[in-house]
Amino acid sequence: MAAVAERTTRPQKNRRGPHARREARIGLLFVLPCFLLFLAFRFGPGVAGLVLGFTDYTIGDTTHFTGLENFQRMVHDPLFWSSLRVTVVYSVIAVPFTVLASLALALLTRRAFRGSRLFRSVFFLPVVTSLILASTVFIWIFSTKGPWSDLMGLLGLPDQSWLTDSALVLPAIALVGIWSRCGYGMLILLARLQDVPRELEEAALMDGAGPWQRFRHIVAPQLRPAFFFLAVIETTNSFQIFDAIYVMTGGGPANASYSLVYQLYDAGFKYSDLGYASALGCVLFVMTVVVALVQRLVLGKEK
């Protein structure tokens, strides 16, 4: 049997010999320009930002290496700690509810029914809608005379504008983020749900398992890799929240929505302090990697 296997595999090895390697080298030669451009424009700015974080770089001025001065300044900067708190609080609100909303929409549209494709398209539509345009509309929705305030009044809650309240501005922006992102999460979870064997659910149903038991013991374990991917993507996106804050609040009121990326933007483009802005970007990158590793330990580790 070993000799037969050797005879059957050896011709394949010969067919993938010098001629195949030559074709592979030619293919890599054609790919090389795009690969170099990818490295230059994808990793080049990241490396440059890391280097600039240790300088006092300003456009049009001389650059000096300052070592850890920018990071030491960051430790003693109250605005940095305030923007970091805003970023963390926003992420704590937005990420779990985005995943839950995505799961609800995926389970709702999982089965094929009349109009299911239409519902999926409608739920995915906010993902491809400009967040700048959507944020402009949500300014009116959350205004004092807007629909959201009217709804709060009908429920017996204060009908003030959430965008002018320091305690409610982050939940308001998080609602916009959840609305704009849950369609993407729905698509990821829906693709995974299609691979869950229905025979397992039918067998559990015949054994008397209820909906929650079927979801907990059959569906949820199958969705674990998708949950991990979605958690990492949404956490990274929430750490980088900027456009909705820029349009809706400008970081206010009283810096209650002044995120870390917004401080990076102000430092780099408003005050031309690109060295400090690069240091902020390095801290944001490290935060994202650390949180992703924690999520890997909690959600992504396979048994």
Side-chain angles (χ1 to χ4, degrees):
M1 294 297 294
V4 173
E6 184 178 358
R7 286 196 298 270
T8 56
T9 56
R10 186 171 296 173
Q12 295 179 358
K13 185 177 180 180
N14 293 334
R15 284 198 297 269
R16 299 181 60 183
H19 181 68
R21 289 195 294 270
R22 180 173 177 272
E23 289 183 347
R25 287 194 295 267
I26 294 175
L28 291 175
L29 186 63
F30 279 101
V31 174
L32 184 61
C34 294
F35 180 70
L36 293 178
L37 288 174
F38 176 79
L39 289 179
F41 290 98
R42 186 67 176 180
F43 295 98
V47 174
L50 178 63
V51 173
L52 291 178
F54 297 91
T55 66
D56 60 351
Y57 175 67
T58 302
I59 297 178
D61 199 356
T62 56
T63 303
H64 303 284
F65 180 77
T66 59
L68 298 175
E69 182 178 325
N70 287 323
F71 298 94
Q72 294 172 351
R73 172 185 166 190
M74 199 181 303
V75 173
H76 301 287
D77 185 3
L79 189 59
F80 165 73
W81 294 107
S82 174
S83 62
L84 179 61
R85 180 189 62 81
V86 168
T87 302
V88 172
V89 171
Y90 173 83
S91 301
V92 169
I93 298 173
V95 174
F97 284 100
T98 300
V99 174
L100 289 176
S102 302
L103 178 61
L105 294 180
L107 293 175
L108 182 64
T109 59
R110 178 188 181 187
R111 305 298 184 187
F113 57 90
R114 180 173 295 182
S116 60
R117 293 184 179 179
L118 176 62
F119 280 103
R120 293 173 185 173
S121 301
V122 171
F123 293 148
F124 187 76
L125 187 61
V127 180
V128 296
T129 302
S130 170
L131 190 55
I132 301 298
L133 177 61
S135 300
T136 304
V137 176
F138 273 99
I139 291 176
W140 167 73
I141 292 176
F142 286 115
S143 64
T144 306
K145 301 297 182 181
W148 189 259
S149 298
D150 294 339
L151 177 61
M152 294 296 102
L154 291 176
L155 296 176
L157 300 174
D159 57 354
Q160 62 183 1
S161 173
W162 281 26
L163 299 180
T164 58
D165 190 294
S166 299
L168 298 176
V169 63
L170 285 181
I173 299 175
L175 283 174
V176 180
I178 294 168
W179 172 83
S180 65
R181 295 292 302 175
C182 64
Y184 176 79
M186 175 201 71
L187 198 65
I188 298 298
L189 295 177
L190 190 61
R192 184 64 180 176
L193 281 172
Q194 303 300 325
D195 295 333
V196 177
R198 295 188 178 181
E199 295 79 6
L200 297 178
E201 295 185 70
E202 293 173 355
L205 181 62
M206 295 180 62
D207 290 338
W212 169 247
Q213 293 175 319
R214 295 198 303 272
F215 173 79
R216 178 183 177 185
H217 297 289
I218 297 176
V219 178
Q222 300 290 330
L223 293 179
R224 192 172 185 177
F227 279 140
F228 166 65
F229 173 80
L230 194 58
V232 172
I233 292 297
E234 295 304 326
T235 302
T236 304
N237 183 74
S238 64
F239 279 176
Q240 299 175 356
I241 182 67
F242 171 77
D243 36 13
I245 294 176
Y246 181 83
V247 173
M248 297 177 68
T249 64
N255 290 337
S257 61
Y258 195 79
S259 66
L260 195 58
V261 176
Y262 207 105
Q263 185 185 11
L264 189 154
Y265 164 79
D266 274 351
F269 295 96
K270 188 176 181 180
Y271 303 109
S272 299
D273 193 355
L274 296 177
Y276 189 58
S278 299
L280 290 170
C282 294
V283 171
L284 182 62
F285 173 75
V286 171
M287 282 176 49
T288 304
V289 172
V290 170
V291 172
L293 291 176
V294 172
Q295 291 172 332
R296 171 72 175 85
L297 293 175
V298 176
L299 294 175
K301 188 175 181 180
E302 296 291 341
K303 292 183 179 180

